[in-house]
Amino acid sequence: QVQLVESGGGLVQAGGSLRLSCAASGKIFSINSMGWYRQAPGKQREFVAFITSGGSTNYVDSVKERFPISRDNAGNTVYMQMNSMKREDADVYYCRFQAHAHLYWGQGTQVTVSS
């Protein structure tokens, strides 16, 4: 079974940067979109950003201009560069791939922002 493997989370100071990566452990055909979500303890998982197979992007307002999303040319790895980080960006971040009607989720990576 193909899994999504995330990396890049960790501790960062407010105003600093982190880069998240998410790669599929095997080949996933016909990926429509790749994206990032985040979830705080006791809260629902929320959308952060996505990029489509055609390169279109969309962001939640709170991260626009700060968290550019991108993907590799092979289309199997998605990145999110998190800049000018704020304390409220601290969450567990999950990547998600959508291929046809199937959704793949990563295991989550913790992002902590210190003041």
Side-chain angles (χ1 to χ4, degrees), residues 5-108:
V5 180
E6 299 156 352
S7 60
L11 173 65
V12 64
Q13 281 193 326
S17 298
L18 283 175
R19 188 189 193 212
L20 301 184
S21 300
C22 175
S25 61
K27 180 64 178 176
I28 300 176
F29 294 94
S30 302
I31 296 175
N32 302 119
S33 68
M34 297 184 284
W36 292 94
Y37 288 70
R38 61 188 180 188
Q39 187 170 22
K43 293 189 176 182
Q44 284 193 327
R45 194 170 296 185
E46 65 172 10
F47 164 77
V48 179
F50 77 71
I51 184 166
T52 69
S53 58
S56 298
T57 58
N58 195 23
Y59 301 90
V60 67
D61 286 347
S62 60
V63 308
K64 277 181 181 177
E65 311 300 331
R66 297 192 299 125
F67 289 9
I69 189 172
S70 61
R71 58 190 170 92
D72 68 343
N73 289 335
N76 287 319
T77 303
V78 65
Y79 308 95
M80 187 163 69
Q81 178 68 40
M82 301 191 292
N83 302 315
S84 303
M85 294 190 69
K86 306 175 181 179
R87 292 199 67 183
E88 52 264 40
D89 294 324
D91 274 324
V92 177
Y93 283 73
Y94 298 87
C95 62
R96 189 189 88 163
F97 287 13
Q98 180 185 11
H100 294 299
H102 194 88
L103 293 177
Y104 299 82
W105 287 95
Q107 80 285 359

